[in-house]
Amino acid sequence: MVKILAIGKGTQDVFLKSDEFDPHKEGKHMYTHLPLGLKMEVEDVHFCTGGNATNVAVTFARQGLESAYLWGLGEDPASQSILQDLDNEGVNTTHVVQARDFQSGYSVIMIATNGERTILNHRGRAFGRTGRHNFNLDVIGDYDWIYPTSLGDGGLPLLREIVDMAEKHNVKVMLNPAGPELAEHDKLVALLDGVDVLCTNKEEMQMLVSGETCEELALHALNYVPVAIVSDGPNGVVATDGKTIVRAGMYEDVPVVDRTGAGDAFASGFLSQWAQGKSLRESIVFASANSTSVVTKIGAKAGILHKHSTLHEMPIHEKPLNQRSKE
Ligand SMILES: Nc1ncnc2c1ncn2[C@@H]1O[C@H](COP(=O)(O)OP(=O)(O)OP(=O)(O)O)[C@@H](O)[C@H]1O
Ligand SMILES: [Mg+2]
């Protein structure tokens, strides 16, 4: 069985829904209009867990892979919810380092009546007071793939350590870099050498390589990595493994309830199939189905597909890349 280790922050996401979160109320933007001292009724509360690494670990587990999670968690209620969710999903949490002065992230997400959201976010503390992690990165050697993401402050040196450890043990790496990593362009590009699959959205790929269209971006990314995937929300996705290029449209035009976790479901959906030897095309179809399902439910995990879910056809084209010369 394929073994995948997800590494990175966990969070508790508390979703609040209320008719009061109406962006058009009294012709004002709702969130400039929460008067001091106000007590506002909220109709609907959903307690979910998030954090990119915990979300992707759940896709891998639901797809029947051996899924494990590595990070620092505290003893706070958010950390306990994260552990409990992962345990319930059958994710191996034995590599988690738990300490009292660690704290998981906590977000309050106000979902407006039009589906937009405003997030109040506490980042958490995964390294304690020393500011230095004490994870045992040697465990990476026990896995076929790793998926590091959202490594918090100072994430890039840690990402470097993780990717180096993977290279040392011949472990494959999928990367879906987050904001702090993308902010350090040169260092991030320097470590792409050790990355096997790079998956980002269009704006993020534009921060890494030049190009206007998803196709140009994916092809340019091939100069750094063997497999490149560029997603563009409801506009679809382009993926290439250097042999063929796949362009896919929207899997299904669904009502979007909450788009939290779309990118995670897409990237992890891809890897859950690709790591099992499925084709580029099959992996993109599943990635699209998984992310489309996630945006129809509140929270990043609820819509993640289980093994043997029935998939349907989608607009997708594949063509060979043989005429392309490396730039
Ligand atoms: N409105 C939508 N309707 C249907 N599917 C969607 C929609 N938005 C996103 N998706 C699905 O999710 C995938 C990833 O979305 P997107 O390209 O927005 O990633 P992202 O910007 O990385 O997301 P995130 O903000 O979660 O990181 C898309 O390729 C698509 O399959
Ligand atoms: Mg993303």
Side-chain angles (χ1 to χ4, degrees):
M1 196 193 287
V2 177
K3 297 171 78 173
I4 307 186
L5 177 66
I7 308 170
K9 277 208 278 195
T11 63
Q12 170 122 64
D13 293 341
V14 181
F15 292 84
L16 305 181
K17 272 185 96 172
S18 169
D19 290 343
E20 293 290 326
F21 299 161
D22 180 349
H24 304 299
K25 203 167 180 146
E26 295 161 26
K28 294 182 181 168
H29 287 296
M30 175 60 209
Y31 303 121
T32 59
H33 198 62
L34 286 171
L36 194 65
L38 172 85
K39 181 175 178 184
M40 182 184 282
E41 295 300 321
V42 171
E43 285 98 56
D44 225 350
V45 182
H46 296 257
F47 290 88
C48 305
T49 61
N52 308 98
T54 76
N55 299 335
V56 303
V58 168
T59 296
F60 303 141
R62 289 196 189 170
Q63 286 305 305
L65 307 181
E66 215 176 299
S67 173
Y69 174 65
L70 166 65
W71 198 243
L73 297 180
E75 292 174 4
D76 54 303
S79 293
Q80 283 164 11
S81 304
I82 292 161
L83 264 185
Q84 196 176 5
D85 260 10
L86 294 176
D87 287 343
N88 291 345
E89 294 284 349
V91 174
N92 173 355
T93 55
T94 52
H95 306 313
V96 166
V97 178
Q98 213 169 1
R100 188 167 292 167
D101 65 340
F102 293 8
Q103 195 177 359
S104 290
Y106 187 93
S107 297
V108 175
I109 301 163
M110 294 183 275
I111 304 182
T113 48
N114 64 353
E116 292 291 327
R117 58 197 191 169
T118 296
I119 303 178
L120 307 178
N121 185 40
H122 171 66
R123 288 150 154 266
R125 265 196 322 269
F127 307 138
R129 290 195 184 86
T130 61
R132 163 95 200 132
H133 79 81
N134 57 349
F135 310 143
N136 175 13
L137 295 180
D138 283 325
V139 301
I140 288 171
D142 296 340
Y143 291 85
D144 301 303
W145 282 87
I146 57 163
Y147 188 126
T149 175
S150 292
L151 303 173
D153 294 336
L156 218 74
L158 175 55
L159 185 59
R160 177 87 256 177
E161 260 186 88
I162 290 169
V163 171
D164 288 347
M165 185 62 83
E167 262 190 312
K168 181 174 147 195
H169 291 285
N170 251 326
V171 174
K172 294 203 160 100
V173 179
M174 173 151 188
L175 191 66
N176 180 200
E181 288 108 62
L182 286 161
E184 295 194 67
H185 174 272
D186 294 354
K187 287 184 188 158
L188 183 56
V189 168
L191 62 71
L192 291 180
D193 215 24
V195 170
D196 298 275
V197 178
L198 176 66
C199 177
T200 71
N201 67 29
K202 191 176 171 185
E203 292 74 36
E204 291 162 346
M205 199 62 95
Q206 277 169 338
M207 294 166 79
L208 285 174
V209 298
S210 63
E212 283 303 313
T213 63
C214 288
E215 189 150 329
E216 284 169 2
L217 291 162
L219 290 174
H220 290 167
L222 277 188
N223 292 318
Y224 299 100
V225 291
V227 178
I229 309 166
V230 185
S231 68
D232 188 16
N235 300 319
V237 52
V238 172
T240 176
D241 61 357
K243 298 185 192 79
T244 69
I245 184 159
V246 167
R247 172 164 253 304
M250 195 193 250
Y251 181 74
E252 196 175 326
D253 193 3
V254 292
V256 178
V257 174
D258 168 32
R259 69 176 314 294
T260 314
D264 294 338
F266 184 85
S268 60
F270 179 88
L271 186 58
S272 69
Q273 308 306 301
W274 184 249
Q276 296 185 75
K278 296 280 176 64
S279 70
L280 190 68
R281 184 193 178 104
E282 287 169 307
S283 303
I284 287 294
V285 170
F286 182 77
S288 304
N290 200 38
S291 51
T292 303
S293 172
V294 161
V295 302
T296 64
K297 302 248 167 73
I298 289 184
K301 294 185 174 68
I304 292 173
L305 296 176
H306 288 268
K307 208 168 165 61
H308 307 306
S309 302
T310 315
L311 304 189
H312 58 69
E313 294 288 313
M314 68 178 290
I316 187 162
H317 303 281
E318 185 170 20
K319 63 178 188 215
L321 265 191
N322 44 14
Q323 65 275 54
R324 198 183 75 87
S325 60
K326 246 191 161 203
E327 282 147 61

